[in-house]
Amino acid sequence: MSKYVYSFGNGTADGEGKMKDILGGKGANLAEMSRAGVPVPPGFTIACQVCNLYFEAGNRVPEEITEQMYEALGILEGRIGKRLGDADNPLLVSVRSGAKFSMPGMMDTILNLGLNDKSVKAVAKLTGDERFAYDCYRRFIQMFSGVVLEIAKDEFEHIIEGRKKKVRVKLDTQLSAADWQAVIEEYKKLVKKHSGREFPQDCKQQLEMARDAVFRSWNNDRAIYYRNMNKIPHDLGTAVNVQAMVFGNMGETSATGVGFTRNPATGENKFYGEFLVNAQGEDVVAGIRTPRPIEELGKVMPEVYQQLRDITAMLEKHYRDIQDFEFTVEKNKLWMLQTRNGKRTGPAAVRIAVEMVHEGLINKKEAVMRVEPAQLDQLLHPMLDGKALKSLTKLGKGLPASPGAAVGRIVFTADHAVEQSKKAPVVLVRKETVPDDIHGMEVAKGILTSRGGMTSHAAVVARGMGTPCVAGAESISVEERSQTISVVVDGKKVTLKEGDWLSLDGSTGDIYAGQAHTLEPDPTSGVLAEFMSWADAFRGKFGVRANADIPRDAKQARKFGAEGIGLCRTEHMFFGEDRLPHVQAMILADDEKGRRKALQKLLPMQRADFAGLFKAMDGFPVVIRTLDPPLHEFVPKREDLMVDIAKLPHADVKTKKDMAARYRMTVGELKKGLPELLKRVEQLHEFNPMLGHRGCRLGITYPEITEMQARAIFEAVAQVAKKGVKVIPEVMIPLIGGVEELQNQKSIVKKVADEVLGKAGMQDQEYMIGTMIEIPRAALTADRVAAEAEFFSFGTNDLTQTTMGLSRDDYASFSKDYQEKKIFKADPFAVLDQEGVGKLVKYGVENGRATRPDLEIGICGEHGGEPSSVEFCFRVGMNYVSCSPYRVPIARLAAAQAAISDKSEVARTA
């Protein structure tokens, strides 16, 4: 029989990663702390693999493993000198989850297990504190009943509130031992009412039921949601940690708290945390009571505080990372309950990585690998514009729990947040959040709570998601039933309701009524710039370009470190108010002469567009894609025209003027012009436009379009180059299915380019003509295509659609089912499908290079900014990725990590 249960401090499999695979993160760290002599309450860990065995056996733990559990329990009882369920000297334990990857608040915990009607009296006698004993017992019944028996927490709270009202007190701490005994009797009645049986008095039965409930919590809705959100595999399972209880609620010499060795919101190297005197752990993290800053522990218990500082500093040095720790003080004795690498915001992750390099704790390579690429997005969060705040009402200040500015409409429930976020940005407002709010927290732009501290559930989860959060804003009254918040400002009551605008500053804790203006951050200075310089050094020659259509976007892309434009979509330039009439005139023209006349008016506009891009990208390549979408996208919708034609005979003067303005006709032209326009629109109608008359097919049918665009490109090249700007143009032909289409369009572009550059005396100007690989046939015939193409750019948006037979627009209607049922591991339009689409890409790269070894290859779909897709592009030998400007830093870091991992893999296999 394999070993599945490990006592703290006993050896396990070699290596930290292997320990976490078996014991989970919490169990591995408890074992390591125990061996290092840190004061850890003794206990044991039931391995992660047992969770999967439990589900495979139909929600039952194999008997042999239960026997191992009781052997470990015997060791624990021997170490502490107490026995579980003993009527004279009872052992009380906590039962907690602990997966390989930290999932704070997502699974279940049970404290004070081992109490029953007999052992509670022994605890009262041993401690000399009857009130403490019965307070622990009622907490245990409430927690056990919620987690194991699935009885709603509110029903227990209602009983407590009723008792406080009866004895006329406001706080739980004012209830006496007799009061708690009365509450316990009501709790037991509630348990029997809901479960049909008495609350279990057999402590071994309690332990088995609690263990199984923790295993089941691995598959609760919030845990599954969290794993999906953080891309944590669903088959890892959770360990169960059983640990002797120590009590922070034994009077004024006892306390409990949580903390971090550095500030997890900003990264500042400052001891950070909170505690409560005379409390248990859940009181701190649940947000029910607002805790005290950890610095105050130095005044209350100075010796304990110094010991805590010494131990946590040692732990940070040992693990070489920020530590998130929990502790309890029982009658002036410090106990460490857990430590783990701390969750942190993007700004904190970068600052901690950089400062730990400066401190000599880690090297630059480790620093680059420490930051998740997606976290960089948080450093690009907007900030509230201080000048514009003067016009808003400041409602108050809470705790700055997660940085960044959030502006949105108020919602009071997680479900409503999901619903309303589809219409407008939302800020989720709660008294305190609970783990079941995770789906609403994910879609909210910001989170505000009136209770809780910097380590409350809201704060920890918001930081992990990079969502701005203000917690513990006690001056604000949150009325979830009436869906209002109210606060007194300058002697006057201010009330906001659901749907009103609210602005938060998660960096300062400030709260404002109204819709604040925000400012963009500067990514070119400070620790981020230093960090990205390290990433770029490891990235080497692998490039990161940006998708940009206008000079403003190109300048922003350069600011974020883009090394060129990987995709300029020329059609976006056609939608401007000054351009669309000429585009429509070209579409409606009856012959080539009419089309050329309209295109001639567009030529100077396109030339100016391209000149602006070339100036912004001085010295870097600019890939310009010729016209791609079908022509019907530039004309009015068929249905709208039919409605207006039907309304026209009955329309008043104002309506006719509005119609004329909308269709760019005079009122007199409407009667004849609208039917003619409808006729042309119907001619353009296609049953499947995505696979219809678009891309290179337009240029083949109407070569004058390609000709005009090529002329605009190379006239801009000549114009800008003469001013001393280094121009590197790359013209990309879209949607080819084979080399013949590319040959047709390339000949047009090359003819115009040579003509324009020849007239300008710039025959030596270099340029490339290539193609977008977005049709499977183009990838499959890449060897032939490469004979004509000087570069490939994989358009993985359309390549995913055409390879998988999946419409990106329609997939949304059933995507949830596909991912929940694990048919797709992830949204294939967000994360590249490496097994299918990726094989085509790899085939295209290898066969293209077989024909043309120096073939430049990149990617310009949305996948170009997704970390795992960037790693794939690096691995198959592409030269660059291209993504939206705001994802450029993410792609730069992902590429650096891919390069580091690739070298590590080479070293391992050498």
Side-chain angles (χ1 to χ4, degrees):
M1 178 70 183
S2 300
K3 187 175 175 66
Y4 289 107
V5 183
Y6 299 84
S7 294
F8 296 170
N10 283 2
T12 68
D14 293 334
E16 182 183 336
K18 190 68 174 174
M19 280 180 68
K20 288 187 176 181
D21 286 341
I22 296 171
L23 304 178
K26 185 179 295 183
N29 289 338
L30 286 168
E32 198 160 349
M33 283 196 295
S34 297
R35 287 199 299 274
V38 174
V40 173
F44 56 87
T45 300
I46 305 170
C48 295
Q49 291 81 354
V50 180
C51 183
N52 290 327
L53 293 174
Y54 171 81
F55 289 119
E56 288 168 10
N59 288 16
R60 190 183 66 82
V61 172
E63 190 61 37
E64 299 88 343
I65 297 175
T66 298
E67 289 175 6
Q68 288 188 28
M69 180 182 77
Y70 285 126
E71 287 175 14
L73 177 63
I75 295 170
L76 171 57
E77 290 173 330
R79 284 182 179 176
I80 208 161
K82 299 179 180 180
R83 289 174 58 82
L84 188 71
D86 191 89
D88 297 317
N89 193 18
L91 168 68
L92 305 186
V93 297
S94 62
V95 182
R96 302 171 187 262
S97 62
K100 178 179 179 180
F101 299 105
S102 177
M103 296 171 54
M106 296 302 112
M107 291 178 287
D108 292 326
T109 293
I110 297 162
L111 304 180
N112 305 329
L113 189 143
L115 282 171
N116 58 23
D117 293 347
K118 292 180 180 178
S119 61
V120 69
K121 295 175 183 177
V123 172
K125 183 178 179 181
L126 289 167
T127 60
D129 189 340
E130 194 177 30
R131 187 197 175 279
F132 158 75
Y134 285 99
D135 180 24
C136 289
Y137 193 17
R138 70 89 188 174
R139 287 173 182 265
F140 169 56
I141 295 174
Q142 183 172 339
M143 194 174 278
F144 185 95
S145 300
V147 171
V148 180
L149 306 178
E150 300 181 354
I151 301 173
K153 176 184 175 183
D154 291 349
E155 299 207 39
F156 294 97
E157 293 292 343
H158 181 71
I159 291 171
I160 293 178
E161 291 303 318
R163 188 66 188 179
K164 287 193 289 189
K165 189 173 182 181
K166 183 175 182 178
V167 298
R168 298 181 181 178
V169 298
K170 291 185 177 181
L171 303 175
D172 293 3
T173 52
Q174 294 173 300
L175 291 173
S176 67
D179 292 324
W180 285 131
Q181 286 175 290
V183 166
I184 287 166
E185 290 307 312
E186 292 300 315
Y187 275 11
K188 289 178 181 177
K189 292 177 184 176
L190 181 65
V191 168
K192 188 168 184 179
K193 174 185 172 184
H194 281 276
S195 68
R197 56 183 173 178
E198 302 288 347
F199 186 82
Q201 296 293 306
D202 183 332
C203 296
K204 288 188 175 181
Q205 183 188 15
Q206 293 174 1
L207 179 59
E208 291 181 25
M209 292 174 72
R211 173 200 63 191
D212 294 355
V214 171
F215 283 144
R216 286 197 300 276
S217 71
W218 173 255
N219 278 335
N220 68 37
D221 290 343
R222 63 180 185 268
I224 292 171
Y225 194 95
Y226 186 89
R227 291 198 297 275
N228 286 334
M229 188 171 67
N230 291 281
K231 297 182 175 63
I232 297 172
H234 292 286
D235 59 356
L236 295 178
T238 181
V240 173
N241 296 288
V242 179
Q243 190 172 22
M245 284 293 302
V246 288
F247 297 95
N249 58 333
M250 292 187 72
E252 296 304 307
T253 60
S254 301
T256 190
V258 296
F260 295 81
T261 50
R262 303 184 188 220
N263 188 314
T266 66
E268 181 184 4
N269 191 357
K270 182 181 179 183
F271 202 53
Y272 177 101
E274 295 164 328
F275 77 103
L276 284 169
V277 172
N278 195 19
Q280 284 200 310
E282 75 268 21
D283 297 333
V284 179
V285 297
I288 295 167
R289 290 168 61 186
T290 299
R292 299 162 67 175
I294 202 164
E295 294 87 355
E296 293 184 16
L297 185 63
K299 299 174 184 176
V300 179
M301 302 173 187
E303 291 182 5
V304 167
Y305 179 70
Q306 188 56 53
Q307 185 187 8
L308 179 65
R309 292 297 307 267
D310 292 343
I311 289 173
T312 53
M314 178 271 289
L315 290 171
E316 180 181 271
K317 192 171 183 180
H318 174 76
Y319 288 107
R320 301 184 311 127
D321 203 352
I322 175 178
Q323 292 302 291
D324 168 4
F325 56 87
E326 295 180 17
F327 67 94
T328 286
V329 182
E330 181 180 289
K331 293 185 177 179
N332 287 318
K333 179 171 175 56
L334 174 66
W335 294 95
M336 300 301 296
L337 303 184
Q338 81 161 22
T339 191
R340 59 189 173 192
N341 292 341
K343 295 282 184 182
R344 67 211 78 176
T345 65
V350 171
R351 179 172 176 178
I352 289 168
V354 170
E355 291 187 356
M356 282 190 169
V357 170
H358 294 165
E359 294 163 19
L361 281 176
I362 59 176
N363 59 41
K364 291 179 181 178
K365 184 183 292 185
E366 289 172 309
V368 169
M369 297 301 288
R370 282 273 173 94
V371 180
E372 294 178 18
Q375 285 185 299
L376 293 184
D377 189 43
Q378 299 168 31
L379 280 87
L380 312 177
H381 271 313
M383 300 171 288
L384 295 183
D385 182 354
K387 295 179 182 178
L389 292 177
K390 295 176 183 178
S391 62
L392 302 181
T393 300
K394 184 174 181 179
L395 300 178
K397 192 179 185 77
L399 299 171
S402 185
V407 180
R409 294 188 180 275
I410 296 171
V411 292
F412 289 95
T413 69
D415 289 341
H416 212 191
V418 172
E419 179 186 333
Q420 293 301 311
S421 66
K422 297 171 184 174
K423 307 171 187 175
V426 299
V427 172
L428 179 62
V429 179
R430 303 280 276 155
K431 287 181 180 177
E432 71 264 356
T433 62
V434 295
D436 288 335
D437 290 328
I438 184 72
H439 56 300
M441 298 174 76
E442 186 189 22
V443 299
K445 295 296 182 184
I447 298 162
L448 170 66
T449 68
S450 60
R451 296 178 184 169
M454 302 286 276
T455 55
S456 64
H457 174 267
V460 171
V461 175
R463 283 195 295 270
M465 296 191 299
T467 301
C469 175
V470 176
E474 294 182 325
S475 63
I476 293 179
S477 175
V478 178
E479 299 298 333
E480 293 171 349
R481 287 189 176 181
S482 62
Q483 297 195 330
T484 61
I485 62 172
S486 59
V487 62
V488 176
V489 179
D490 297 330
K492 295 181 180 178
K493 186 177 181 180
V494 177
T495 301
L496 299 179
K497 63 183 185 302
E498 177 147 314
D500 288 343
W501 285 96
L502 191 70
S503 300
L504 308 177
D505 189 335
S507 303
T508 64
D510 292 329
I511 307 157
Y512 298 88
Q515 187 176 8
H517 180 257
T518 57
L519 298 173
E520 296 300 321
D522 180 9
T524 62
S525 62
V527 292
L528 177 59
E530 183 176 8
F531 177 81
M532 292 308 301
S533 71
W534 299 346
D536 289 339
F538 288 113
R539 176 165 58 90
K541 294 182 179 179
F542 188 81
V544 177
R545 303 184 188 180
N547 302 338
D549 309 323
I550 56 176
R552 184 186 69 238
D553 289 349
K555 290 173 184 174
Q556 188 69 48
R558 284 291 300 124
K559 188 176 180 181
F560 286 125
E563 299 157 325
I565 291 176
L567 175 63
C568 167
R569 293 155 288 209
T570 54
E571 62 272 8
H572 286 191
M573 302 167 173
F574 285 178
F575 285 102
E577 287 188 11
D578 57 336
R579 294 130 191 265
L580 193 57
H582 304 308
V583 177
Q584 291 179 344
M586 182 267 293
I587 294 169
L588 297 173
D590 294 324
D591 53 26
E592 181 181 335
K593 183 179 179 181
R595 287 192 294 275
R596 286 188 178 276
K597 182 179 178 182
L599 288 167
Q600 193 61 33
K601 293 179 180 178
L602 284 170
L603 175 63
M605 299 176 185
Q606 285 252 283
R607 183 173 59 228
D609 291 331
F610 298 142
L613 291 177
F614 292 142
K615 288 176 186 175
M617 285 291 154
D618 185 4
F620 291 100
V622 177
V623 177
I624 299 172
R625 182 180 71 186
T626 54
L627 190 64
D628 183 52
L631 295 180
H632 73 80
E633 288 192 10
F634 300 99
V635 295
K637 290 184 178 179
R638 176 173 173 267
E639 294 75 14
D640 293 342
L641 272 168
M642 294 174 73
V643 169
D644 284 342
I645 289 170
K647 286 166 59 177
L648 184 63
H650 315 287
D652 57 25
V653 174
K654 183 179 182 306
T655 302
K656 288 181 179 178
K657 285 183 178 180
D658 289 342
M659 270 189 212
R662 188 160 64 250
Y663 292 110
R664 295 177 176 83
M665 300 177 184
T666 65
V667 171
E669 291 171 335
L670 288 173
K671 186 175 181 180
K672 182 181 179 184
L674 289 185
E676 288 179 350
L677 180 57
L678 176 61
K679 181 180 178 182
R680 181 61 176 136
V681 168
E682 287 181 329
Q683 289 173 346
L684 293 172
H685 175 73
E686 294 179 297
F687 289 106
N688 190 349
M690 186 261 171
L691 296 177
H693 196 201
R694 53 169 286 220
C696 66
R697 300 159 192 172
L698 279 174
I700 290 168
T701 306
Y702 305 122
E704 55 271 18
I705 297 177
T706 304
E707 186 181 317
M708 182 278 291
Q709 291 198 297
R711 190 170 299 281
I713 290 169
F714 288 101
E715 286 182 359
V717 169
Q719 182 187 99
V720 173
K722 286 182 178 179
K723 295 179 181 178
V725 175
K726 185 178 180 181
V727 186
I728 307 175
E730 300 181 10
V731 182
M732 181 162 68
I733 309 302
L735 210 76
I736 71 153
V739 68
E740 294 80 9
E741 289 167 312
L742 177 58
Q743 287 171 330
N744 177 284
Q745 292 295 281
K746 180 181 177 180
S747 65
I748 297 171
V749 174
K750 191 172 188 314
K751 180 181 177 182
V752 172
D754 292 346
E755 174 200 329
V756 172
L757 295 176
K759 284 183 181 178
M762 295 175 58
Q763 292 89 341
D764 295 334
Q765 169 68 46
E766 293 184 0
Y767 66 89
M768 288 201 292
I769 302 173
T771 190
M772 203 166 181
I773 305 292
E774 49 194 330
I775 300 293
R777 191 178 187 277
L780 293 170
T781 60
D783 53 341
R784 295 191 63 217
V785 173
E788 293 290 338
E790 294 170 283
F791 69 89
F792 284 176
S793 181
F794 284 88
T796 49
N797 295 344
D798 276 357
L799 188 59
T800 297
Q801 292 194 94
T802 52
T803 301
M804 301 184 75
L806 196 65
S807 164
R808 180 170 53 174
D809 297 325
D810 297 321
Y811 170 61
S813 66
F814 58 92
S815 61
K816 186 178 179 183
D817 289 332
Y818 262 54
Q819 290 179 59
E820 283 182 353
K821 294 174 182 176
K822 300 182 178 61
I823 292 171
F824 288 167
K825 292 178 182 177
D827 180 348
F829 295 105
V831 180
L832 185 67
D833 164 39
Q834 296 184 24
E835 292 180 2
V837 179
K839 279 188 179 178
L840 269 180
V841 172
K842 187 171 185 288
Y843 185 91
V845 170
E846 292 172 349
N847 284 272
R849 290 250 173 87
T851 298
R852 189 186 292 264
D854 63 346
L855 184 69
E856 178 187 271
I857 302 177
I859 183 177
C860 60
E862 289 299 314
H863 302 105
E866 194 281 316
S868 68
S869 306
V870 173
E871 188 273 337
F872 170 82
C873 294
F874 179 92
R875 188 159 28 89
V876 298
M878 290 191 188
N879 298 96
Y880 69 87
V881 295
S882 187
C883 55
S884 67
Y886 283 88
R887 294 192 70 80
V888 165
I890 295 171
R892 288 164 63 195
L893 178 56
Q897 292 181 348
I900 291 170
S901 298
D902 183 65
K903 288 176 182 176
S904 299
E905 184 62 32
V906 170
R908 279 195 297 272
T909 56

